[in-house]
């Protein structure tokens, strides 16, 4: 009989006032400890209105009584070992030359992190990124920053899937962990990328200065010869000339081919 009174009290107009009052008291005691029972079971207004107020008070009180215990801070995706910066006064970007190999600067047995930039000196997107990337070592002194010319290190570009520049990869040891895919390449977006991946906060007083526009990564386009493109064009032109000479329709242009054709 008690369970029946509780069930009937949920349906408006199907239970008597005494049964509905008893059911309402049971629900409020279980949900809110009896604090809201007086307001829910008071005879001020119709029976359905009283039950509706009781239900609303129970729902609204739940978030306050059961706070969310989940930590809102996200765990870093890459657990970087911050390097010891004791005695280091100048934090700058290191650019690899043609003879230097990236794997020599990455320790596979370590968990420290390095941000590597693949660029080309004639790419305008690389030039616009340069001053922002030059300022990153001062914002994150416990991390390492490297840059290399993708045209001079074609094997590394192929190994790490660099099909377009600029390409920024976050390494932990000698293993690439994340790639920067944001189209807005500024100091702010780079800071957010590093923080989201490693959990390391940047220094708030670091900004792009005039010295960052000067180097070490060049921010001015340099005109140079794309030897790979030139070689491809020469190879294509030679192949077309060879195929044209071997064509039957123009063999008469070559001396001696006419008599051979008549015989």
């Amino acid at each position: 009989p008690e369970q029946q009174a509780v069930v009937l009290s949920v349906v408006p107009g199907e239970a008597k006032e005494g049964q509905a009052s008893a059911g309402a008291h049971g629900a409020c005691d279980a949900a809110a400890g009896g604090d809201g029972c007086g307001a829910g079971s008071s005879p001020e207004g119709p029976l359905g209105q009283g039950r509706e107020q009781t239900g609303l008070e129970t729902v609204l009180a739940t978030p306050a009584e059961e706070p969310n215990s989940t930590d809102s801070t996200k765990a870093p995706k890459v657990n970087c070992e911050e390097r010891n910066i004791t005695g280091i006064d100048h934090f700058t970007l290191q650019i690899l030359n043609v003879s230097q190999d990236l794997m020599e600067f990455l320790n596979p047995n370590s968990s420290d992190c390095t941000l590597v930039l693949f660029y080309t000196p004639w790419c305008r997107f690389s030039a616009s990124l340069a001053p922002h990337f030059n300022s990153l070592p001062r914002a994150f002194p416990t991390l390492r920053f490297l840059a290399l010319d993708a045209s001079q290190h074609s094997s590394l570009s192929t190994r790490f899937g660099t099909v377009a520049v600029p390409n920024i990869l976050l390494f932990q040891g000698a293993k690439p962990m994340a790639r920067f895919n944001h189209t807005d390449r500024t100091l702010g977006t780079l800071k957010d990328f590093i923080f989201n991946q490693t959990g390391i906060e940047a220094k708030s007083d670091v900004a792009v200065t005039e010295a960052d526009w000067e180097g070490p990564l060049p921010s001015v386009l340099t005109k140079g010869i794309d030897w790979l493109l030139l070689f491809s064009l020469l190879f294509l032109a030679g192949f077309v000339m060879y195929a044209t000479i071997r064509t039957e329709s123009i063999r008469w242009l070559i001396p001696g081919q006419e008599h051979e054709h008549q015989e």
Side-chain angles (χ1 to χ4, degrees):
E2 295 179 358
Q3 295 179 358
Q4 182 180 6
V6 173
V7 173
L8 292 178
S9 66
V10 179
V11 183
E14 294 294 335
K16 295 182 180 179
E17 184 174 357
Q19 294 176 341
S21 178
H25 276 283
C28 289
D29 290 339
D35 295 336
C37 295
S41 59
S42 61
E44 298 177 2
L47 181 62
Q49 182 178 359
R51 286 191 296 268
E52 183 179 359
Q53 293 177 355
T54 304
L56 290 176
E57 291 178 0
T58 304
V59 173
L60 294 176
T62 303
E65 295 168 359
E66 299 178 359
N68 188 8
S69 59
T70 304
D71 189 6
S72 58
T73 304
K74 295 182 179 180
K77 300 178 183 179
V78 183
N79 293 323
C80 297
E81 180 182 354
E82 302 184 34
R83 65 172 180 170
N84 187 11
I85 60 175
T86 304
I88 303 177
D89 299 330
H90 186 61
F91 302 96
T92 183
L93 168 69
Q94 184 175 2
I95 300 179
L96 277 63
N97 55 35
V98 183
S99 60
Q100 292 177 323
D101 187 10
L102 176 63
M103 295 297 104
E104 298 177 358
F105 294 86
L106 302 178
N107 186 5
N109 299 323
S110 177
S111 59
D112 56 347
C113 292
T114 306
L115 199 68
V116 181
L117 168 65
F118 294 79
Y119 76 99
T120 52
W122 59 81
C123 175
R124 61 185 182 92
F125 299 106
S126 299
S128 61
L129 169 65
H132 303 275
F133 202 85
N134 289 332
S135 61
L136 280 178
R138 301 195 311 273
F140 298 91
T142 58
L143 301 180
R144 299 177 61 193
F145 296 88
L146 301 175
L148 55 91
D149 190 346
S151 61
Q152 297 178 354
H153 300 80
S154 56
S155 59
L156 290 175
S157 301
T158 305
R159 178 178 178 180
F160 298 113
T162 302
V163 295
V165 292
N167 183 27
I168 302 175
L169 294 177
L170 176 65
F171 285 81
Q172 185 178 32
K175 182 179 179 181
M177 304 299 295
R179 186 189 305 271
F180 181 81
N181 293 322
H182 206 288
T183 56
D184 186 16
R185 304 179 186 92
T186 61
L187 178 60
T189 55
L190 291 171
K191 285 181 178 181
D192 294 338
F193 169 74
I194 297 176
F195 175 75
N196 293 334
Q197 296 295 330
T198 64
I200 301 176
E201 295 184 0
K203 291 187 175 181
S204 58
D205 57 343
V206 175
V208 179
T209 61
E210 294 182 359
D212 296 326
W213 286 91
E214 297 177 358
L217 196 64
S219 59
V220 180
L221 294 178
T222 58
K223 296 181 180 180
I225 300 176
D226 192 347
W227 295 106
L228 182 60
L229 178 60
L230 181 60
F231 176 78
S232 301
L233 293 177
L234 292 176
F235 176 80
L236 181 61
F239 179 79
V240 171
M241 292 179 61
Y242 175 79
T244 305
I245 294 174
R246 299 293 298 177
T247 304
E248 292 286 342
S249 59
I250 61 170
R251 277 193 174 185
W252 58 274
L253 294 176
I254 304 176
Q257 293 294 331
E258 182 178 358
H259 300 284
E260 182 181 351
H261 180 70
Q262 290 177 357
E263 292 176 359

